[in-house]
Amino acid sequence: MDKKIIFSAIQPTGTFTLGNYLGALQNWVSLQDEYNCCYSIANMHALTVRQQAKDLRANTLNAYALLLAVGVDPQKSIAFIQSHVKCHAELNWVLSCYTQFGELSRMTQFKDKSARHPENVNAGLFTYPVLMAGDILLYQADFVPVGIDQKQHLELARNIAQRFNGIYGDVFTVPDGYYPKLTAKVMSLQDPTKKMSKSDDNPKSYITILDPPETIVKKIKSAVTDSEALVAYREGKDGVNNLMSIYSAVTGRTLEQITEEFAGHGYGDFKQKVGDALAESLRPIRERYAQLMKDRAYLEECYRDGARKAEGVSQRTLDKVYKKIGFLAR
Ligand code: TYM
């Protein structure tokens, strides 16, 4: 039987956070053997926030190198840069004519982002989920490994696919989300009721996957917990729950094992262990990243090859769509 298809993408924002890594990237890597995977650097999505051209260019290359550094293997999976494959822009237009204004108005990320950037509430920010739906549907993806913050966008992609299929027959695979068990929403270290995010003003609230080990340990040590001095995963213990989830994701230990490991220990000890384990698990990524950044020719070869493969797959879907909707063939 043919392998099922995975698609996901990430915006090039300079570096990736621990949230990006444990919410999405770790799954991207582990799914590569069992599935046909396509992963993309969503530089077109990044344009919804004002960018300096030279920064976007550099961040896109850095993000691509990071993708390989975390373990996406360009021999096994298709790893490409969104703007290199024109089908994404083309399908975006078509799908935007099959998406309702009302649906887009309900997107919570649009509401949040437009509140945070009132000076630049551009049309792209509003139609962003349509571009994302097109990304996924072009590859006929069965599963989309993402964090929980993308769930609403994914639901929209499903609705668009079902609506389109309802009119034209089975054109698109209707995708399902694929979420990690404990780390679908990694929380801020300073306010564990909020999502960890790089746009947070307080850099102590997030860890990036390129942070040096000392910084990682320091940030974990200053993470907000509670006054109970009990390592247990329970409602109301958001800070501890978050650290336990992170520890579980990097060590593979279950919550029960972690509770047992730290029975009778204080938070100081617990945080030290979490910090050390995390720093150790990110070390090889940082080292591979440094190596890859020295070999620009290799990165270029990989992303060109990725674009060629992605184009092949996505063009087939786009051709089918154009035929179905009645665009006269050239
Ligand atoms: P982006 O670039 O904001 O985030 C990339 C991935 O990281 C996940 N994530 C988190 N997971 C858990 N905890 C957190 N604190 C956390 N922060 C971020 C996100 O859920 C995401 O999976 N629109 C997308 C990019 C995109 C895309 C796509 C994704 C474009 N086209 C097609 C899937 C399919 C975005 O901005 O993700």
Side-chain angles (χ1 to χ4, degrees):
M1 215 180 84
D2 276 352
K3 287 181 177 175
K4 296 242 185 217
I5 299 169
I6 298 273
F7 182 92
S8 200
I10 185 164
Q11 291 196 58
T13 48
T15 168
F16 300 154
T17 66
L18 187 63
N20 296 139
Y21 181 60
L22 299 181
L25 298 168
Q26 218 182 24
N27 272 338
W28 295 16
V29 174
S30 66
L31 291 165
Q32 291 183 104
D33 288 322
E34 257 184 83
Y35 296 88
N36 283 331
C37 300
C38 300
Y39 299 125
S40 183
I41 303 299
N43 60 339
M44 291 163 71
H45 279 96
L47 218 55
T48 54
V49 177
R50 188 68 71 234
Q51 302 273 350
Q52 293 293 328
K54 75 171 194 333
D55 295 339
L56 181 58
R57 207 174 291 123
N59 286 343
T60 304
L61 186 70
N62 296 351
Y64 191 84
L66 265 178
L67 195 65
L68 304 196
V70 297
V72 168
D73 178 349
Q75 305 298 325
K76 283 190 202 159
S77 302
I78 300 179
F80 72 101
I81 294 164
Q82 191 183 26
S83 65
H84 288 172
V85 180
K86 294 191 169 59
C87 298
H88 291 256
E90 291 188 51
L91 186 62
N92 175 51
W93 172 251
V94 175
L95 295 184
S96 68
C97 300
Y98 294 80
T99 309
Q100 297 303 307
F101 183 88
E103 290 180 292
L104 292 174
S105 312
R106 286 194 290 276
M107 295 292 123
T108 54
Q109 274 208 356
F110 170 71
K111 291 187 217 166
D112 291 349
K113 284 193 185 167
S114 46
R116 258 191 285 132
H117 301 278
E119 73 298 343
N120 187 21
V121 184
N122 59 77
L125 195 66
F126 188 65
T127 60
Y128 172 119
V130 183
L131 182 61
M132 177 165 158
D135 294 343
I136 300 165
L137 301 182
L138 275 174
Y139 298 86
Q140 306 289 353
D142 297 283
F143 299 107
V144 183
V146 282
I148 218 77
D149 63 335
Q150 295 300 321
K151 192 169 186 176
Q152 198 186 26
H153 292 160
L154 194 67
E155 286 299 320
L156 180 72
R158 289 172 56 86
N159 290 341
I160 295 172
Q162 279 160 343
R163 181 171 311 144
F164 200 91
N165 288 350
I167 306 171
Y168 300 106
D170 278 342
V171 179
F172 297 125
T173 302
V174 180
D176 277 307
Y178 188 102
Y179 306 98
K181 258 199 239 56
L182 291 171
T183 50
K185 189 173 183 183
V186 178
M187 308 309 268
S188 153
L189 298 176
Q190 292 300 312
D191 177 357
T193 60
K194 264 181 23 192
K195 184 183 80 168
M196 180 183 284
S197 162
K198 228 196 83 183
S199 52
D200 202 308
D201 292 332
N202 184 354
K204 278 162 80 182
S205 71
Y206 59 86
I207 286 172
T208 83
I209 61 175
L210 293 178
D211 277 346
E214 319 76 78
T215 310
I216 294 176
V217 172
K218 217 153 104 201
K219 285 182 181 174
I220 294 283
K221 277 189 172 164
S222 68
V224 169
T225 46
D226 52 56
S227 55
E228 207 181 13
L230 175 71
V231 178
Y233 195 95
R234 290 215 189 117
E235 211 180 314
K237 290 177 72 75
D238 298 323
V240 172
N241 294 350
N242 194 36
L243 295 182
M244 286 180 80
S245 302
I246 292 170
Y247 193 58
S248 170
V250 298
T251 61
R253 273 171 232 175
T254 63
L255 295 175
E256 293 73 37
Q257 287 168 333
I258 298 169
T259 309
E260 218 167 278
E261 181 180 349
F262 295 102
H265 293 242
Y267 288 156
D269 203 14
F270 171 54
K271 286 176 172 175
Q272 182 72 47
K273 285 267 174 48
V274 176
D276 288 344
L278 181 60
E280 221 24 67
S281 79
L282 296 180
R283 185 189 300 278
I285 296 176
R286 237 181 54 246
E287 290 170 358
R288 270 199 301 272
Y289 176 75
Q291 283 300 320
L292 284 161
M293 286 308 283
K294 285 191 220 143
D295 197 350
R296 175 134 189 187
Y298 173 71
L299 292 173
E300 284 175 3
E301 191 187 309
C302 290
Y303 68 60
R304 287 196 186 119
D305 183 53
R308 268 192 300 274
K309 290 180 189 154
E311 205 160 43
V313 180
S314 54
Q315 190 66 53
R316 274 202 299 279
T317 302
L318 190 69
D319 287 348
K320 202 162 152 189
V321 167
Y322 275 15
K323 198 166 158 197
K324 292 281 187 185
I325 59 177
F327 279 0
L328 186 66
R330 197 163 101 186

